[in-house]
Short mmCIF file of all heavy atoms in Angstrom, two decimals:
data_model
loop_
_atom_site.label_atom_id
_atom_site.label_comp_id
_atom_site.label_asym_id
_atom_site.label_seq_id
_atom_site.Cartn_x
_atom_site.Cartn_y
_atom_site.Cartn_z
N VAL A 1 28.21 -51.59 99.87
CA VAL A 1 28.06 -50.93 98.57
C VAL A 1 26.60 -50.61 98.28
O VAL A 1 25.72 -51.47 98.41
CB VAL A 1 28.62 -51.84 97.45
CG1 VAL A 1 28.45 -51.19 96.08
CG2 VAL A 1 30.09 -52.17 97.71
N ASP A 2 26.33 -49.37 97.86
CA ASP A 2 25.01 -48.97 97.40
C ASP A 2 24.92 -49.35 95.92
O ASP A 2 25.44 -48.63 95.06
CB ASP A 2 24.81 -47.47 97.59
CG ASP A 2 23.46 -46.98 97.08
OD1 ASP A 2 22.74 -47.75 96.41
OD2 ASP A 2 23.13 -45.81 97.34
N TYR A 3 24.27 -50.47 95.63
CA TYR A 3 24.23 -50.97 94.26
C TYR A 3 23.30 -50.17 93.35
O TYR A 3 23.29 -50.39 92.15
CB TYR A 3 23.87 -52.46 94.26
CG TYR A 3 24.99 -53.30 94.83
CD1 TYR A 3 24.90 -53.84 96.10
CD2 TYR A 3 26.16 -53.51 94.10
CE1 TYR A 3 25.93 -54.59 96.63
CE2 TYR A 3 27.20 -54.25 94.62
CZ TYR A 3 27.08 -54.79 95.88
OH TYR A 3 28.12 -55.52 96.40
N ASP A 4 22.55 -49.22 93.91
CA ASP A 4 21.80 -48.29 93.06
C ASP A 4 22.76 -47.26 92.44
O ASP A 4 22.50 -46.71 91.38
CB ASP A 4 20.72 -47.56 93.86
CG ASP A 4 19.58 -48.48 94.25
OD1 ASP A 4 19.35 -49.49 93.55
OD2 ASP A 4 18.93 -48.19 95.27
N GLU A 5 23.86 -46.99 93.15
CA GLU A 5 24.84 -45.99 92.70
C GLU A 5 26.06 -46.62 92.02
O GLU A 5 26.62 -46.05 91.10
CB GLU A 5 25.33 -45.16 93.90
CG GLU A 5 24.27 -44.29 94.52
CD GLU A 5 24.00 -43.04 93.71
OE1 GLU A 5 24.91 -42.56 93.03
OE2 GLU A 5 22.85 -42.57 93.75
N LEU A 6 26.48 -47.77 92.52
CA LEU A 6 27.71 -48.40 92.06
C LEU A 6 27.46 -49.83 91.61
O LEU A 6 26.55 -50.50 92.10
CB LEU A 6 28.76 -48.43 93.18
CG LEU A 6 29.18 -47.11 93.79
CD1 LEU A 6 30.05 -47.36 95.01
CD2 LEU A 6 29.90 -46.26 92.77
N GLU A 7 28.28 -50.30 90.71
CA GLU A 7 28.24 -51.71 90.32
C GLU A 7 29.05 -52.55 91.32
O GLU A 7 28.71 -53.69 91.60
CB GLU A 7 28.80 -51.87 88.92
CG GLU A 7 28.66 -53.25 88.35
CD GLU A 7 29.09 -53.31 86.91
OE1 GLU A 7 28.29 -52.90 86.04
OE2 GLU A 7 30.23 -53.75 86.66
N ASP A 8 30.14 -51.94 91.85
CA ASP A 8 31.00 -52.66 92.78
C ASP A 8 31.92 -51.66 93.47
O ASP A 8 32.16 -50.57 92.97
CB ASP A 8 31.85 -53.70 92.01
CG ASP A 8 32.59 -54.66 92.91
OD1 ASP A 8 32.13 -54.91 94.04
OD2 ASP A 8 33.65 -55.16 92.49
N ALA A 9 32.46 -52.06 94.61
CA ALA A 9 33.50 -51.30 95.31
C ALA A 9 34.26 -52.29 96.16
O ALA A 9 33.66 -53.20 96.75
CB ALA A 9 32.91 -50.19 96.16
N LYS A 10 35.58 -52.14 96.21
CA LYS A 10 36.39 -53.03 97.05
C LYS A 10 37.73 -52.40 97.35
O LYS A 10 38.16 -51.48 96.66
CB LYS A 10 36.52 -54.42 96.45
CG LYS A 10 37.10 -54.46 95.06
CD LYS A 10 37.23 -55.89 94.53
CE LYS A 10 36.10 -56.24 93.63
NZ LYS A 10 36.27 -57.42 92.84
N TRP A 11 38.36 -52.93 98.37
CA TRP A 11 39.70 -52.50 98.74
C TRP A 11 40.71 -53.19 97.84
O TRP A 11 40.61 -54.39 97.59
CB TRP A 11 40.00 -52.86 100.20
CG TRP A 11 39.17 -52.10 101.18
CD1 TRP A 11 38.07 -52.54 101.84
CD2 TRP A 11 39.37 -50.74 101.59
NE1 TRP A 11 37.58 -51.55 102.65
CE2 TRP A 11 38.36 -50.42 102.52
CE3 TRP A 11 40.31 -49.76 101.27
CZ2 TRP A 11 38.26 -49.19 103.13
CZ3 TRP A 11 40.22 -48.52 101.88
CH2 TRP A 11 39.21 -48.25 102.80
N PHE A 12 41.68 -52.41 97.34
CA PHE A 12 42.73 -52.94 96.48
C PHE A 12 44.09 -52.64 97.09
O PHE A 12 44.34 -51.52 97.53
CB PHE A 12 42.67 -52.33 95.08
CG PHE A 12 41.52 -52.81 94.26
CD1 PHE A 12 40.32 -52.12 94.26
CD2 PHE A 12 41.64 -53.95 93.48
CE1 PHE A 12 39.25 -52.55 93.49
CE2 PHE A 12 40.57 -54.40 92.71
CZ PHE A 12 39.37 -53.70 92.72
N ASN A 13 44.95 -53.63 97.08
CA ASN A 13 46.33 -53.48 97.51
C ASN A 13 47.11 -52.80 96.40
O ASN A 13 46.82 -52.99 95.22
CB ASN A 13 46.93 -54.85 97.83
CG ASN A 13 48.31 -54.74 98.42
OD1 ASN A 13 49.28 -54.52 97.70
ND2 ASN A 13 48.40 -54.89 99.72
N LEU A 14 48.11 -52.05 96.78
CA LEU A 14 48.98 -51.36 95.83
C LEU A 14 49.53 -52.28 94.75
O LEU A 14 49.68 -51.89 93.60
CB LEU A 14 50.14 -50.74 96.62
CG LEU A 14 51.26 -50.08 95.85
CD1 LEU A 14 50.76 -48.84 95.14
CD2 LEU A 14 52.39 -49.71 96.79
N ASN A 15 49.79 -53.54 95.10
CA ASN A 15 50.38 -54.49 94.14
C ASN A 15 49.36 -55.26 93.34
O ASN A 15 49.73 -56.14 92.55
CB ASN A 15 51.29 -55.47 94.90
CG ASN A 15 52.41 -54.74 95.60
OD1 ASN A 15 53.04 -53.86 95.04
ND2 ASN A 15 52.64 -55.09 96.86
N ASP A 16 48.08 -54.97 93.51
CA ASP A 16 47.03 -55.72 92.82
C ASP A 16 45.89 -54.79 92.41
O ASP A 16 44.76 -54.98 92.82
CB ASP A 16 46.53 -56.85 93.74
CG ASP A 16 45.60 -57.79 93.01
OD1 ASP A 16 45.74 -57.95 91.78
OD2 ASP A 16 44.72 -58.37 93.68
N LEU A 17 46.21 -53.78 91.60
CA LEU A 17 45.21 -52.80 91.18
C LEU A 17 44.51 -53.24 89.91
O LEU A 17 45.11 -53.87 89.04
CB LEU A 17 45.88 -51.44 90.97
CG LEU A 17 46.46 -50.79 92.22
CD1 LEU A 17 47.23 -49.53 91.85
CD2 LEU A 17 45.37 -50.46 93.22
N PRO A 18 43.23 -52.89 89.76
CA PRO A 18 42.49 -53.20 88.54
C PRO A 18 42.84 -52.21 87.43
O PRO A 18 43.72 -51.36 87.60
CB PRO A 18 41.04 -53.03 88.99
CG PRO A 18 41.13 -51.91 89.98
CD PRO A 18 42.43 -52.14 90.71
N ASP A 19 42.13 -52.28 86.31
CA ASP A 19 42.26 -51.26 85.28
C ASP A 19 41.85 -49.92 85.89
O ASP A 19 40.86 -49.84 86.62
CB ASP A 19 41.37 -51.55 84.08
CG ASP A 19 41.87 -52.72 83.26
OD1 ASP A 19 43.07 -53.08 83.38
OD2 ASP A 19 41.08 -53.28 82.48
N LEU A 20 42.63 -48.89 85.59
CA LEU A 20 42.41 -47.57 86.18
C LEU A 20 41.89 -46.58 85.15
O LEU A 20 42.01 -46.82 83.95
CB LEU A 20 43.73 -47.07 86.79
CG LEU A 20 44.32 -47.95 87.89
CD1 LEU A 20 45.68 -47.43 88.32
CD2 LEU A 20 43.37 -48.06 89.07
N PRO A 21 41.35 -45.45 85.60
CA PRO A 21 40.86 -44.42 84.69
C PRO A 21 41.97 -43.90 83.76
O PRO A 21 43.15 -44.12 84.00
CB PRO A 21 40.37 -43.31 85.62
CG PRO A 21 40.07 -44.01 86.90
CD PRO A 21 41.08 -45.11 87.00
N TYR A 22 41.56 -43.19 82.75
CA TYR A 22 42.47 -42.65 81.74
C TYR A 22 43.57 -41.80 82.36
O TYR A 22 43.33 -41.09 83.33
CB TYR A 22 41.69 -41.82 80.71
CG TYR A 22 40.56 -42.60 80.09
CD1 TYR A 22 39.25 -42.36 80.47
CD2 TYR A 22 40.81 -43.60 79.15
CE1 TYR A 22 38.19 -43.10 79.93
CE2 TYR A 22 39.77 -44.33 78.60
CZ TYR A 22 38.47 -44.08 78.99
OH TYR A 22 37.44 -44.80 78.45
N SER A 23 44.75 -41.84 81.79
CA SER A 23 45.92 -41.16 82.37
C SER A 23 45.74 -39.64 82.46
O SER A 23 46.36 -39.01 83.29
CB SER A 23 47.18 -41.50 81.57
OG SER A 23 47.05 -41.09 80.24
N ALA A 24 44.91 -39.05 81.62
CA ALA A 24 44.70 -37.60 81.64
C ALA A 24 43.72 -37.16 82.73
O ALA A 24 43.57 -35.97 83.00
CB ALA A 24 44.19 -37.12 80.29
N SER A 25 43.07 -38.11 83.38
CA SER A 25 42.04 -37.76 84.35
C SER A 25 42.61 -37.48 85.73
O SER A 25 43.64 -38.04 86.12
CB SER A 25 41.01 -38.90 84.45
OG SER A 25 41.58 -40.02 85.08
N VAL A 26 41.92 -36.64 86.48
CA VAL A 26 42.33 -36.36 87.85
C VAL A 26 42.18 -37.62 88.70
O VAL A 26 42.94 -37.83 89.66
CB VAL A 26 41.55 -35.16 88.45
CG1 VAL A 26 40.10 -35.49 88.69
CG2 VAL A 26 42.20 -34.64 89.71
N ALA A 27 41.26 -38.50 88.34
CA ALA A 27 41.10 -39.76 89.07
C ALA A 27 42.38 -40.58 88.99
O ALA A 27 42.84 -41.13 89.99
CB ALA A 27 39.93 -40.55 88.48
N ARG A 28 42.96 -40.66 87.81
CA ARG A 28 44.20 -41.43 87.65
C ARG A 28 45.35 -40.78 88.41
O ARG A 28 46.14 -41.45 89.07
CB ARG A 28 44.54 -41.54 86.16
CG ARG A 28 45.80 -42.29 85.84
CD ARG A 28 45.69 -43.78 86.24
NE ARG A 28 46.78 -44.55 85.72
CZ ARG A 28 46.73 -45.25 84.60
NH1 ARG A 28 45.64 -45.27 83.86
NH2 ARG A 28 47.77 -45.93 84.21
N LYS A 29 45.43 -39.45 88.34
CA LYS A 29 46.50 -38.74 89.06
C LYS A 29 46.37 -38.94 90.57
O LYS A 29 47.36 -39.07 91.28
CB LYS A 29 46.48 -37.27 88.68
CG LYS A 29 46.92 -37.03 87.24
CD LYS A 29 46.82 -35.57 86.86
CE LYS A 29 47.39 -35.31 85.51
NZ LYS A 29 46.56 -35.59 84.39
N LEU A 30 45.15 -38.97 91.05
CA LEU A 30 44.88 -39.21 92.46
C LEU A 30 45.38 -40.59 92.88
O LEU A 30 46.08 -40.74 93.88
CB LEU A 30 43.37 -39.07 92.70
CG LEU A 30 42.81 -39.09 94.09
CD1 LEU A 30 43.41 -38.00 94.96
CD2 LEU A 30 41.30 -38.93 94.04
N ILE A 31 45.06 -41.60 92.09
CA ILE A 31 45.49 -42.97 92.37
C ILE A 31 47.01 -43.08 92.26
O ILE A 31 47.67 -43.70 93.10
CB ILE A 31 44.77 -43.96 91.45
CG1 ILE A 31 43.27 -43.96 91.77
CG2 ILE A 31 45.36 -45.36 91.57
CD1 ILE A 31 42.39 -44.63 90.73
N GLU A 32 47.59 -42.46 91.24
CA GLU A 32 49.04 -42.51 91.07
C GLU A 32 49.78 -41.82 92.22
O GLU A 32 50.88 -42.23 92.58
CB GLU A 32 49.45 -41.91 89.73
CG GLU A 32 49.11 -42.82 88.57
CD GLU A 32 49.41 -42.21 87.20
OE1 GLU A 32 49.73 -41.01 87.11
OE2 GLU A 32 49.30 -42.96 86.22
N SER A 33 49.16 -40.81 92.84
CA SER A 33 49.80 -40.16 93.98
C SER A 33 49.88 -41.13 95.15
O SER A 33 50.85 -41.12 95.90
CB SER A 33 49.03 -38.89 94.38
OG SER A 33 47.84 -39.20 95.07
#
């Protein structure tokens, strides 16, 4: 992880996801796909 750019990054299993971006965002739609 480049901590100048990110606070954290990690691999998440489908059954153990963290809080996700807002439902209207393309980020959320990408994850939901």
